Amino acid sequence: MNAYPPIDEHGIVGDLQTAALVSAAGTIDWWCAPRFDSPSVFASLLDSEKGGHCSIAVDTAAAGTVRQLYLPDTAILLTRFSGPDGVGEVADFMEPIHDTEPTDRHRLVRVVRVVRGSLTFSLECRPRFDYGRATHTLDRADDRTAVFRSPTADLHLQTTDPIVVHPDGADVTARFTLSAGERAAVVLTTTSAGAPVSAAPTWEDIAEEFDRCRHFWQTWLRSSTYRGRWRDMVNRSAITLKLLTYAPTGAPIAAATMGLPEQIGGERNWDYRYTWIRDASLSVRALMDLGFTAEAYAFRRWLRERVEAGGTVSGEPLQIMYRVDGDPRLDEVILTHLEGYQGSAPVRVGNGAADQIQLDIYGEAADALAQATDLAAITGWRTFTGLIDWLAGNWDRPDEGIWETRGGRQEFTYSRLMTWVAFDRAIKLATEQARPADLARWTTERDAVFRQIVERGWSEQRQAFVQHYATEVLDASLLLMPRMGFLSPTDPMWLSTLDAMDQELVSDSLVYRYDPEASPDGLRGTEGTFNLCSFLYVEALARTGRLQQARYAFDKMLTYANHVGLFAEEIGPSGEQLGNFPQAFTHLALITAALALDEELDRAEAEPPSTTTRSRE
């Protein structure tokens, strides 16, 4: 096993309550259970020795070429080995759990088969529970069943003929040979500690699971209304957003992993397995724009429950992030025993930014809630108006901003922009639904925010809107200004801002969030270009009418996707993917960029060419 495969050399499988990463070499090197934010069972991505993994690989001499792909329009991942002795593949999948109740039992199936020749495979299963902090014992019921028992959880490994597992300390290994037409399976099941041994898998059960899994994803995807130019990438992004959504509550997480670095060897290593109000609101909006309304309703219900529950660690009506079950406690702890991905320490579990004040979340939340017809119900409306009334008296404060900087609070322009959005959406909704509201006060505050942004967020020197009121630094989050309706995409002030960003933040269509040297964020080191911002840039170019530039930037960004169409958070200096993976923010922005670009290209193609254009042709 490669000690630390590149971050982007992975595919993801999941059952809508948890997810696992499978490397392009056939190794499960990340899996937390029973939830996304639970302690790990396998975490060799964060420590190749202490993290734990489960690998199925062909002997090195016979491995030849290894490729990975998804079964079309599904989350079933195939890893194919092609060498001089034959061709074989491992199919990894987890059947989606339809129950709305959480469960401790999660099942990952690995089907191995050979289609040509004969190949010998090696199996290693070395779990390390609780981020490698918990010891485990091995219980072998028979030659094809091993149960790894720890104080926190159990892992059951079961195989079919001809795989016979052998103990290796408290772990197991196996070697087996398959010829053309033969198959075998390894079934991994996580359970609560002390659970009875699972029933032995049968090929009939496995085949039915496989068919149900394929049917689920292909049926779900048929609900998409997208018929544009980039269907494969948009569909993969939609499936990824669905995989990152915790079905029992409808809460999307920011990414499947924790601790993957924004700079190799640096300290910008965060835990992203939680639900950010901002990311989740934008994620469900992207899914809704594709026609997936059930996900949007589930999240809005979760969001209303958070407002009604209160009890945040930040003391605000909402905090920026929660666990998937709505728990606001995300105490940040450093796992000193893990070396981190390629030595990138510290490895953090939990997220200390949960108690930050980020006022923009009220805009994203309002924008998400305002799309709902069910918000007109009395209970929902009271919750919503209570939030807006509170914001009317509390919006004009410094905060930590969208990027969760740890360098002190500022009056961030983006935070003000999104408070304007909150008032704007609330006013429109109250008017359209004829609901009681303090419209006079909301309108006064909305207009006050607008004036403040124009007067204090605009730099005459830069001829651009800036990151916060005490700086001349630019910030790519403001690429959302036109989409949010704050100004027209052809407004001269916006065109000037976009030109300034082109000069300062854009590098060959890749976009940095901001310049940390010019605007210190309280952290050491640097970071790569931010994929979210690169796709927001495409959308802004498209809405501005710079269609050729937008299409070129979009198509170029797609070349940075990994071999199965997934993106991490950032692109590094050598084109490598950095940060937690896969990243919901990136995939939602890809969807919205594709929708905007399709719409503008369709509009341009429908317009008759001008006389000037014809004379030039």
Side-chain angles (χ1 to χ4, degrees), residues 37-116:
D37 56 356
S38 296
S40 63
V41 178
F42 302 123
S44 57
L45 258 185
L46 298 179
D47 194 304
S48 60
E49 295 297 325
K50 301 174 184 175
H53 67 272
C54 178
S55 63
I56 299 177
V58 173
D59 284 355
T60 304
T65 302
V66 182
R67 287 193 171 90
Q68 210 169 41
L69 66 154
Y70 278 110
L71 197 67
D73 294 341
T74 75
I76 299 172
L77 186 67
L78 304 180
T79 305
R80 179 169 296 161
F81 303 89
S82 303
D85 296 334
V87 178
E89 64 185 22
V90 179
D92 288 289
F93 67 94
M94 299 178 72
E95 183 183 353
I97 298 174
H98 304 284
D99 295 340
T100 57
E101 292 298 320
T103 177
D104 288 335
R105 186 173 293 269
H106 299 271
R107 182 169 159 119
L108 196 164
V109 181
R110 316 197 73 186
V111 176
V112 189
R113 71 186 188 110
V114 169
V115 295
R116 292 181 181 176

Side-chain angles (χ1 to χ4, degrees), residues 3 5 28 51 63 67 77 85 112 183 196 245 282 309 312 330 356 365 431 449 458 479 483 524 585-586:
I28 302 173
R67 287 193 171 90
L77 186 67
D85 296 334
V112 189
R183 60 186 180 176
T245 300
L282 295 173
T312 62
L330 290 85
Q356 287 189 356
T431 303
V449 178
W458 171 261
L479 287 164
R483 189 210 292 183
R524 296 188 303 272
F585 235 172
T586 302

Side-chain angles (χ1 to χ4, degrees), residues 420-500:
W420 177 89
V421 169
F423 293 126
D424 177 74
R425 303 304 191 264
I427 292 167
K428 289 178 179 177
L429 194 60
T431 303
E432 292 171 358
Q433 300 290 336
R435 293 299 181 189
D438 193 346
L439 287 175
R441 187 186 184 198
W442 293 0
T443 302
T444 297
E445 299 303 328
R446 180 200 63 185
D447 295 347
V449 178
F450 184 91
R451 287 190 294 269
Q452 188 186 95
I453 292 173
V454 172
E455 294 168 5
R456 301 183 62 197
W458 171 261
S459 167
E460 286 294 335
Q461 177 182 340
R462 300 300 306 273
Q463 286 294 291
F465 289 100
V466 292
Q467 184 181 61
H468 60 77
Y469 297 166
T471 188
E472 298 291 320
V473 173
L474 303 180
D475 193 306
S477 64
L478 297 178
L479 287 164
L480 279 167
M481 280 182 135
R483 189 210 292 183
M484 292 302 169
F486 183 81
L487 40 63
S488 164
T490 57
D491 187 295
M493 295 177 77
W494 171 246
L495 295 177
S496 179
T497 299
L498 187 57
D499 288 340

